[in-house]
Amino acid sequence: MKHNLYPEFKNLFNKEVGNAWFSPGRVNLIGEHIDYNGGLVMPCAITFGTYVVAALNNDNVFRFRSLNFDDKLDIPLQPEYKKTGESWFNYPLGIIEYFLKDGHQLQGLDLLYYGDIPISSGLSSSASIEVVTAYALNELFNCGYSKLELVKLAKEVENVFIGVNCGIMDQFAVAFGEKDKALMLNCDTLDYKAVDTNLAEYVLAIINTNKPRKLAESKYNERVQECQAALKALQQELDIQNLCDIDTATFKRHEHLITDAVVLKRATHVIEENDRVKLAAEALAGGDLAEFGKLMYASHDSLKNLYEVSGKELDAVVEYSKTNPNVAGARMTGAGFGGCAIALVKENAFDKFSEEVTAYYIAKVGYAPSVYSSLIGDGVGLLKTNITVE
Ligand code: GLA
């Protein structure tokens, strides 16, 4: 169904509006579960994302509406907000709370959201709605935050207001993403470089397992704690602040300090994955997509066996990919426990890939995945024109 956002806004709020903002979602090419360990990651913004149309009101009320969800909220401007239930509007409410906490004077707002990122697909719909709201508020109220400050604020909202101890990758990627580029981001220093994603004869496929990530939040926080335990053990001998401060060779010399077998597996994944990102960056720069693909498979195997965040759905996509000579590599992307996988597929073999992976997946899992050919797009921004979305 096509939506024209400005007329929809007028129907809902009975007034004209002139401004809309967009923030994309993201995929991560490689470097998984290492952003909160000070590692290197390689995300790209995608062309799916979240739109918000917003206008000030004089009623001192925040009115949240969405074209995706029936639940809505009207809440008066007040000194403090808390998360209530699991509804989507907690994300923008959390952003408002953090603007108020920072001492900004706000006024009532009418907000209409629309998103085309499949929900719970691991493509960062939450970072997308957080960042688009923060960006819009910053412009509407002239708060003077830099983009990096907005990214940090949005991450804080996710960590404290929402309660997921995520790293900074998603908020950073959806804010700073650039068309046809991947961001080589150092999550410790926040230095980054936008590098060309020259995929030659390949395209990036996104395969949504359509499995909702039910346990994702609790398991995610558990992994963060396991990494903290590993770091603490290594700090008995090493002067490090993050697991990714050391490479695999150094880790091997000190791994005996970690006595818990599960924690050891988690740390091994993190440190080896960080080394893989460095190799992947070289492979991409040198146009060696075969090597890049091998590193993707290695990353997936490690996330499956050592980090234990995959599952039969994501594994089915990767298993099939390994049998197809037109696929250079595939892996789960994002937090895992369902969500999406990505694959580097030869462009002229994409349709066949899509059919075959779907058939394989249905046979293994019992229902169909969704397969997209992804375009790498720009990060958050103001949209000047009227917006028609599907
Ligand atoms: C989620 C988190 C990110 C990152 C990934 C795993 O997307 O929000 O911070 O940890 O999982 O790499």
Side-chain angles (χ1 to χ4, degrees), residues 63 107 137 193 242 283:
R63 299 190 183 97
Q107 148 186 2
L137 258 63
K193 219 167 46 189
N242 297 297

PDB file of all heavy atoms in Angstrom, residues 63 107 137 193 242 283:
ATOM      1  N   ARG A  63       2.184  13.888  20.802  1.00  0.00           N
ATOM      2  CA  ARG A  63       1.228  12.920  20.224  1.00  0.00           C
ATOM      3  C   ARG A  63       2.000  12.024  19.256  1.00  0.00           C
ATOM      4  O   ARG A  63       2.543  12.510  18.260  1.00  0.00           O
ATOM      5  CB  ARG A  63       0.121  13.648  19.469  1.00  0.00           C
ATOM      6  CG  ARG A  63      -0.697  14.566  20.351  1.00  0.00           C
ATOM      7  CD  ARG A  63      -1.934  15.080  19.620  1.00  0.00           C
ATOM      8  NE  ARG A  63      -2.656  16.001  20.471  1.00  0.00           N
ATOM      9  CZ  ARG A  63      -2.531  17.339  20.410  1.00  0.00           C
ATOM     10  NH1 ARG A  63      -1.752  17.895  19.518  1.00  0.00           N
ATOM     11  NH2 ARG A  63      -3.209  18.093  21.242  1.00  0.00           N
ATOM     12  N   GLN A 107       8.724  21.761  23.551  1.00  0.00           N
ATOM     13  CA  GLN A 107       7.318  22.163  23.474  1.00  0.00           C
ATOM     14  C   GLN A 107       6.580  20.977  22.875  1.00  0.00           C
ATOM     15  O   GLN A 107       7.222  20.055  22.349  1.00  0.00           O
ATOM     16  CB  GLN A 107       7.320  23.442  22.629  1.00  0.00           C
ATOM     17  CG  GLN A 107       6.163  23.714  21.792  1.00  0.00           C
ATOM     18  CD  GLN A 107       6.353  24.953  20.886  1.00  0.00           C
ATOM     19  OE1 GLN A 107       7.409  25.600  20.870  1.00  0.00           O
ATOM     20  NE2 GLN A 107       5.324  25.240  20.128  1.00  0.00           N
ATOM     21  N   LEU A 137      14.298  16.338  16.539  1.00  0.00           N
ATOM     22  CA  LEU A 137      14.177  17.215  17.717  1.00  0.00           C
ATOM     23  C   LEU A 137      15.298  18.248  17.738  1.00  0.00           C
ATOM     24  O   LEU A 137      15.080  19.423  18.049  1.00  0.00           O
ATOM     25  CB  LEU A 137      14.235  16.384  19.009  1.00  0.00           C
ATOM     26  CG  LEU A 137      12.900  16.113  19.703  1.00  0.00           C
ATOM     27  CD1 LEU A 137      11.969  15.297  18.835  1.00  0.00           C
ATOM     28  CD2 LEU A 137      13.128  15.380  21.031  1.00  0.00           C
ATOM     29  N   LYS A 193      36.130   5.478   8.826  1.00  0.00           N
ATOM     30  CA  LYS A 193      36.420   5.802   7.443  1.00  0.00           C
ATOM     31  C   LYS A 193      35.280   5.213   6.602  1.00  0.00           C
ATOM     32  O   LYS A 193      34.873   4.075   6.843  1.00  0.00           O
ATOM     33  CB  LYS A 193      37.726   5.096   7.051  1.00  0.00           C
ATOM     34  CG  LYS A 193      38.595   5.952   6.171  1.00  0.00           C
ATOM     35  CD  LYS A 193      40.013   5.477   5.993  1.00  0.00           C
ATOM     36  CE  LYS A 193      40.175   4.013   5.706  1.00  0.00           C
ATOM     37  NZ  LYS A 193      41.471   3.468   5.726  1.00  0.00           N
ATOM     38  N   ASN A 242      39.628  -3.067  26.840  1.00  0.00           N
ATOM     39  CA  ASN A 242      38.626  -3.772  26.010  1.00  0.00           C
ATOM     40  C   ASN A 242      39.209  -5.096  25.550  1.00  0.00           C
ATOM     41  O   ASN A 242      40.420  -5.183  25.317  1.00  0.00           O
ATOM     42  CB  ASN A 242      38.333  -2.973  24.727  1.00  0.00           C
ATOM     43  CG  ASN A 242      37.728  -1.628  25.011  1.00  0.00           C
ATOM     44  OD1 ASN A 242      36.638  -1.534  25.548  1.00  0.00           O
ATOM     45  ND2 ASN A 242      38.455  -0.579  24.659  1.00  0.00           N
ATOM     46  N   ALA A 283      40.824  -7.243   2.177  1.00  0.00           N
ATOM     47  CA  ALA A 283      40.256  -7.972   1.032  1.00  0.00           C
ATOM     48  C   ALA A 283      39.345  -7.058   0.212  1.00  0.00           C
ATOM     49  O   ALA A 283      39.413  -7.038  -1.018  1.00  0.00           O
ATOM     50  CB  ALA A 283      39.487  -9.209   1.517  1.00  0.00           C
TER      51      ALA A 283
END
